[in-house]
Amino acid sequence: MKFDAIVLGAGMVGVCVAVHLQRRGLRVALVDRKAPGNETSFGNAGLIQREGVYPYALPRDLATLMRYARNRSLDVRYHARAMPKVLPFLYRYWYHSRPDRHAAIARSYSTLIEHCVDEHRALIEASGAQALLRTGGWLKAFRSARKQEAELRTAERWRAEYGVAFEPLDAAQLRRDEPSLGHALIGALRYTEADSVSDPNALVAAYARYFEALGGRIFIGDAQTLAPQWSVDTDAGRIDAHSAVIALGPWSDVLTARLGYRFLLAVKRGYHMHYAARDGAHLNQPVLDAEIGYMMTPMARGIRLTTGAELAYRDAPATPVQLDAIEPIARALFPLGERLDAQPWLGSRPCTPDMMPVIGPASRHKDLWFAFGHAHHGLTLGPVTGRLLAEMMVGADPIADPRPFRADRFKC
């Protein structure tokens, strides 16, 4: 029951950290309260976003902010009672979203994004999960020429700055690609180098089985029992290790606070529901309804409809008003049949105010490491995060410069 490293959190990020440490010769224990991939990593649109060099910023124009303030927007909702706690985060988020600051963040963030597809494909091959992978990109679809032209200008800038590949589709091309979509859409952009998967939970589970095949051990346990230097309670008893990694997603700040760290971490909650397809309809790739703010993705279970962001306390009761609001809009766009889930799934994305994850060593504890705060890109960045942190921990040359992601940038 002695290990070289304990990784706390068996979502996409934690599993990938464990895999990469085990591949580098360490004896690793992966600990979570549930089986791998059954919290935040369970519910998302399944995208591996090679185009995501600019993390999602907070709009700064007054018209959009006023629309959000009325709390009737389809893409962003909030719980009023949570706002006193969330406002300090939102202010720092707004601060970092200024175009020049956002551009500086992208220069660092892109050093991870550029590896996301290659690192996933390597683990997919190693874990035998090729059947889950869908290549060929995803579609951002438009209802108005104004929105389409604005997004095309943005995509052209991303291509010039970071080599992001895309192709525009007019209405006729979109009909040929997705004949089951309604005619409200006038065109789309396809981000051609992105991948997607048909079951994110199954992908995490495949990576976890690969970790075990490498000799790693998975335990059900309580991360909050972590004690220096370093041990944690599990269903198999107390286990000890030389080092520990906190990769608990939206629960990371609970444990780091107990250890004396103060991260300004917030959550963006999101919902999904699966649907059958009516009348032989078929969806070939993920499609974002860009002006409404929801995504439809073909999944192993059915068509997954995912919502935008909900700002709330992490553990507040579910309020799936966004899902209820977008469902009739989605039904008008694609022939969705009956709901296939007993209730909407709810998850929380862990977000930092500067939109970048925390990856690296703790400042006040020896052999304690952090890997959390990936917001909308936990699935996308899991493998490259795992590789980067493992290389740092064993003293190898890192795949990317880790300094922009260091924990002490928050002076916590």
Side-chain angles (χ1 to χ4, degrees):
M1 301 298 286
K2 292 186 179 295
F3 296 86
D4 297 311
I6 298 169
V7 178
L8 301 171
M12 177 59 78
V13 172
V15 168
C16 290
V17 170
V19 165
H20 277 284
L21 288 172
Q22 192 72 30
R23 290 175 73 170
R24 285 159 178 77
L26 277 65
R27 296 184 64 247
V28 183
L30 179 63
V31 179
D32 204 320
R33 61 184 180 180
K34 293 184 178 180
N38 277 280
E39 286 287 1
T40 305
S41 296
F42 185 90
N44 53 69
L47 300 181
I48 302 170
Q49 292 189 255
R50 173 60 185 87
E51 85 294 340
V53 290
Y54 276 80
Y56 295 104
L58 185 69
R60 291 176 62 93
D61 64 284
L62 184 59
T64 302
L65 293 174
M66 290 302 296
R67 175 165 59 86
Y68 287 164
R70 289 193 290 270
N71 206 21
R72 299 186 63 83
S73 174
L74 294 176
D75 56 341
V76 177
R77 293 288 180 97
Y78 62 88
H79 288 189
R81 70 185 63 181
M83 283 300 99
K85 181 178 179 180
V86 175
L87 281 174
F89 166 84
L90 288 177
Y91 171 72
R92 297 303 300 172
Y93 188 12
W94 177 84
Y95 173 86
H96 287 293
S97 297
R98 198 176 76 180
D100 60 328
R101 297 185 183 114
H102 195 204
I105 288 166
R107 287 193 288 273
S108 297
Y109 199 71
S110 63
T111 64
L112 298 180
I113 288 290
E114 67 177 315
H115 299 290
C116 67
V117 169
D118 289 342
E119 291 300 312
H120 260 293
R121 289 184 179 180
L123 287 190
I124 285 170
E125 182 176 357
S127 62
Q130 294 91 336
L132 300 173
L133 180 65
R134 182 191 302 112
T135 61
W138 64 278
L139 293 179
K140 182 180 287 189
F142 309 107
R143 295 169 178 263
S144 71
R146 180 180 179 182
K147 180 67 172 178
Q148 184 176 24
E149 290 163 3
E151 291 291 334
L152 179 60
R153 289 193 296 270
T154 297
E156 288 171 341
R157 178 164 57 88
W158 292 355
R159 179 167 60 188
E161 293 176 351
Y162 297 108
V164 171
F166 70 93
E167 58 181 0
L169 280 68
D170 62 22
Q173 292 169 316
L174 179 58
R175 301 287 172 266
R176 288 194 294 269
D177 259 32
E178 296 292 349
S180 297
L181 289 177
H183 288 191
L185 301 175
I186 66 164
L189 285 177
R190 179 188 287 112
Y191 289 108
T192 55
E193 292 182 344
D195 286 345
S196 61
V197 296
S198 60
D199 190 334
N201 171 254
L203 184 64
V204 178
Y207 290 174
R209 289 193 297 272
Y210 174 53
F211 166 68
E212 291 183 299
L214 292 170
R217 296 279 304 277
I218 297 176
F219 298 90
I220 300 297
D222 182 3
Q224 301 304 321
T225 65
L226 180 70
Q229 295 276 117
W230 294 99
S231 62
V232 67
D233 288 338
T234 75
D235 58 352
R238 193 82 176 168
I239 61 175
D240 302 290
H242 172 74
S243 60
V245 179
I246 297 177
L248 293 167
W251 293 274
S252 295
D253 61 334
V254 179
L255 181 52
T256 57
R258 189 169 62 77
L259 294 170
Y261 300 88
R262 294 293 181 269
F263 291 101
L264 192 59
L265 199 68
V267 299
K268 296 180 187 177
R269 306 201 315 174
Y271 299 82
H272 82 227
M273 173 60 67
H274 291 100
Y275 300 82
R278 291 190 293 105
D279 306 324
H282 187 71
L283 194 65
N284 297 308
Q285 60 207 302
V287 177
L288 173 68
D289 190 342
E291 281 140 298
I292 307 298
Y294 67 90
M295 179 164 274
M296 291 188 290
T297 302
M299 291 286 183
R301 180 165 171 75
I303 303 298
R304 179 178 288 184
L305 187 61
T306 62
T307 70
E310 179 185 71
L311 300 173
Y313 290 125
R314 183 193 58 231
D315 299 321
T319 53
V321 293
Q322 287 168 295
L323 182 65
D324 294 339
I326 65 174
E327 183 179 301
I329 299 171
R331 288 187 182 279
L333 192 64
F334 182 89
L336 297 173
E338 71 275 15
R339 288 186 169 193
L340 300 178
D341 302 325
Q343 59 187 11
W345 179 88
L346 167 63
S348 298
R349 308 174 186 98
C351 303
T352 65
D354 67 358
M355 296 164 270
M356 295 197 297
V358 177
I359 306 170
S363 58
R364 293 196 292 272
H365 290 83
K366 190 177 187 313
D367 300 315
L368 179 65
W369 302 80
F370 299 144
F372 56 81
H374 292 74
H376 296 263
H377 287 155
L379 174 67
T380 292
L381 294 178
V384 66
T385 295
R387 177 174 170 178
L388 174 60
L389 190 67
E391 288 167 343
M392 295 171 69
M393 291 177 68
V394 302
D397 291 335
I399 189 174
D401 183 356
R403 289 174 295 180
F405 315 108
R406 66 191 187 278
D408 64 4
R409 73 185 192 267
F410 295 116
K411 296 179 172 57
C412 58

